[in-house]
Amino acid sequence: MTGALTDPVAASAHPPARLGFAARQRLLKPADFDRVYARRVRVSDSFFSVNAAPNELGFARLGLSIGAKAVGNSVARNRVKRQVRESFRQVASAMPALDLVVGARPGSRTAHNARLRESLNVLWTEIEKRCVVS
Protein backbone atom coordinates (compact mmCIF):
# COMPACT_ATOMS: atom_id res chain seq x y z
CA MET A 1 0.00 0.00 0.00
CA THR A 2 1.55 3.27 -1.15
CA GLY A 3 0.28 6.56 0.18
CA ALA A 4 1.46 10.10 0.70
CA LEU A 5 2.83 9.19 4.11
CA THR A 6 4.90 6.24 2.89
CA ASP A 7 5.87 7.54 -0.56
CA PRO A 8 8.92 9.86 -0.21
CA VAL A 9 8.34 11.36 -3.66
CA ALA A 10 4.74 12.32 -2.83
CA ALA A 11 5.78 13.66 0.55
CA SER A 12 8.53 15.88 -0.92
CA ALA A 13 6.28 17.19 -3.69
CA HIS A 14 4.00 18.97 -1.21
CA PRO A 15 5.80 19.69 2.03
CA PRO A 16 3.54 20.86 4.85
CA ALA A 17 3.31 24.58 5.39
CA ARG A 18 5.47 25.74 8.29
CA LEU A 19 3.64 27.99 10.65
CA GLY A 20 6.23 29.08 13.17
CA PHE A 21 6.18 31.57 15.99
CA ALA A 22 9.63 33.12 15.88
CA ALA A 23 11.07 35.21 18.70
CA ARG A 24 10.80 38.31 16.52
CA GLN A 25 7.01 37.82 16.43
CA ARG A 26 6.69 38.15 20.22
CA LEU A 27 6.18 41.21 22.34
CA LEU A 28 8.38 40.72 25.37
CA LYS A 29 9.44 44.13 26.68
CA PRO A 30 7.17 46.18 28.94
CA ALA A 31 7.83 49.21 26.72
CA ASP A 32 6.30 47.36 23.76
CA PHE A 33 3.16 46.55 25.75
CA ASP A 34 2.95 50.16 26.98
CA ARG A 35 3.20 51.45 23.40
CA VAL A 36 0.32 49.20 22.30
CA TYR A 37 -1.86 50.30 25.22
CA ALA A 38 -1.08 53.98 24.54
CA ARG A 39 -1.98 53.84 20.82
CA ARG A 40 -4.45 51.00 20.84
CA VAL A 41 -7.45 49.97 18.88
CA ARG A 42 -9.41 47.52 20.99
CA VAL A 43 -11.90 44.75 20.21
CA SER A 44 -13.29 42.29 22.71
CA ASP A 45 -15.86 39.65 23.45
CA SER A 46 -16.68 37.51 26.48
CA PHE A 47 -13.44 35.50 26.11
CA PHE A 48 -10.70 37.91 25.02
CA SER A 49 -9.71 41.53 24.65
CA VAL A 50 -7.36 42.31 21.75
CA ASN A 51 -5.45 45.60 21.72
CA ALA A 52 -3.57 46.53 18.57
CA ALA A 53 -1.26 49.27 17.38
CA PRO A 54 0.54 49.59 14.05
CA ASN A 55 4.25 48.87 13.95
CA GLU A 56 6.97 49.70 11.42
CA LEU A 57 8.41 46.19 11.22
CA GLY A 58 6.36 44.81 8.34
CA PHE A 59 4.97 41.84 10.28
CA ALA A 60 2.59 41.19 13.17
CA ARG A 61 3.78 40.55 16.72
CA LEU A 62 1.88 39.03 19.64
CA GLY A 63 1.97 39.73 23.36
CA LEU A 64 -0.05 37.84 25.97
CA SER A 65 -1.64 39.18 29.12
CA ILE A 66 -3.35 36.15 30.59
CA GLY A 67 -3.85 36.72 34.30
CA ALA A 68 -4.69 34.34 37.11
CA LYS A 69 -7.50 36.60 38.26
CA ALA A 70 -9.38 36.13 34.98
CA VAL A 71 -8.46 32.58 34.02
CA GLY A 72 -7.31 30.74 37.12
CA ASN A 73 -4.39 28.50 37.92
CA SER A 74 -1.33 27.91 35.74
CA VAL A 75 -2.87 24.90 34.00
CA ALA A 76 -5.84 26.96 32.82
CA ARG A 77 -3.65 29.95 31.88
CA ASN A 78 -1.28 27.81 29.85
CA ARG A 79 -4.19 26.16 28.01
CA VAL A 80 -5.59 29.56 27.03
CA LYS A 81 -2.14 30.83 26.01
CA ARG A 82 -1.59 27.78 23.79
CA GLN A 83 -4.88 28.44 22.02
CA VAL A 84 -4.00 32.11 21.44
CA ARG A 85 -0.52 31.31 20.12
CA GLU A 86 -1.81 28.59 17.80
CA SER A 87 -4.53 30.84 16.44
CA PHE A 88 -2.00 33.64 15.89
CA ARG A 89 0.41 31.26 14.10
CA GLN A 90 -2.32 30.39 11.62
CA VAL A 91 -3.12 34.01 10.71
CA ALA A 92 0.18 35.82 11.31
CA SER A 93 1.41 35.70 7.72
CA ALA A 94 -1.80 37.35 6.48
CA MET A 95 -1.97 40.00 9.24
CA PRO A 96 -0.89 43.58 8.64
CA ALA A 97 2.07 45.01 10.57
CA LEU A 98 0.45 45.24 14.00
CA ASP A 99 1.54 44.72 17.55
CA LEU A 100 -1.21 42.77 19.30
CA VAL A 101 -1.75 42.26 23.02
CA VAL A 102 -4.34 39.64 23.89
CA GLY A 103 -5.86 39.63 27.35
CA ALA A 104 -8.09 36.88 28.67
CA ARG A 105 -11.48 37.50 30.22
CA PRO A 106 -13.20 35.27 32.80
CA GLY A 107 -15.32 33.54 30.14
CA SER A 108 -12.21 31.88 28.71
CA ARG A 109 -11.69 29.91 31.93
CA THR A 110 -14.39 27.33 31.18
CA ALA A 111 -14.76 27.66 27.40
CA HIS A 112 -13.83 24.74 25.17
CA ASN A 113 -10.74 25.14 22.99
CA ALA A 114 -12.76 25.16 19.78
CA ARG A 115 -14.88 28.04 21.09
CA LEU A 116 -11.75 29.99 22.05
CA ARG A 117 -10.33 29.56 18.54
CA GLU A 118 -13.62 30.68 16.96
CA SER A 119 -13.61 33.76 19.16
CA LEU A 120 -10.03 34.61 18.22
CA ASN A 121 -10.71 34.20 14.50
CA VAL A 122 -13.56 36.71 14.75
CA LEU A 123 -11.42 39.12 16.77
CA TRP A 124 -8.45 38.87 14.33
CA THR A 125 -10.78 39.75 11.46
CA GLU A 126 -12.33 42.64 13.36
CA ILE A 127 -8.99 44.10 14.44
CA GLU A 128 -7.71 43.93 10.86
CA LYS A 129 -10.77 45.83 9.61
CA ARG A 130 -10.40 48.52 12.25
CA CYS A 131 -6.63 48.96 11.78
CA VAL A 132 -6.48 49.08 7.98
CA VAL A 133 -5.29 52.47 6.81
CA SER A 134 -7.38 53.79 3.94
Side-chain angles (χ1 to χ4, degrees):
M1 181 169 163
T2 303
L5 296 176
T6 58
D7 186 4
V9 174
S12 65
H14 299 287
R18 299 199 75 180
L19 302 174
F21 186 45
R24 69 186 193 125
Q25 292 177 291
R26 301 174 192 187
L27 290 179
L28 299 173
K29 298 177 185 171
D32 292 333
F33 282 79
D34 292 341
R35 191 181 61 74
V36 172
Y37 290 132
R39 301 174 49 204
R40 72 177 169 214
V41 172
R42 181 177 175 178
V43 296
S44 61
D45 63 10
S46 60
F47 303 116
F48 297 103
S49 171
V50 179
N51 295 284
N55 70 40
E56 304 296 326
L57 300 173
F59 55 89
R61 298 190 302 170
L62 176 68
L64 298 173
S65 178
I66 312 294
K69 191 172 185 179
V71 180
N73 65 19
S74 62
V75 173
R77 287 194 314 274
N78 287 332
R79 178 184 69 89
V80 171
K81 288 193 267 188
R82 278 193 303 273
Q83 296 306 312
V84 174
R85 284 192 298 262
E86 181 59 26
S87 178
F88 178 76
R89 272 192 281 268
Q90 293 177 0
V91 300
S93 62
M95 291 281 283
L98 296 171
D99 286 343
L100 304 158
V101 176
V102 177
R105 295 187 140 188
S108 63
R109 180 186 311 223
T110 57
H112 293 285
N113 292 344
R115 182 63 188 108
L116 295 177
R117 287 190 303 269
E118 289 171 14
S119 168
L120 287 163
N121 287 335
V122 169
L123 293 172
W124 299 142
T125 302
E126 183 64 27
I127 205 76
E128 272 188 84
K129 287 179 189 173
R130 294 181 72 185
C131 289
V132 169
V133 177
S134 302

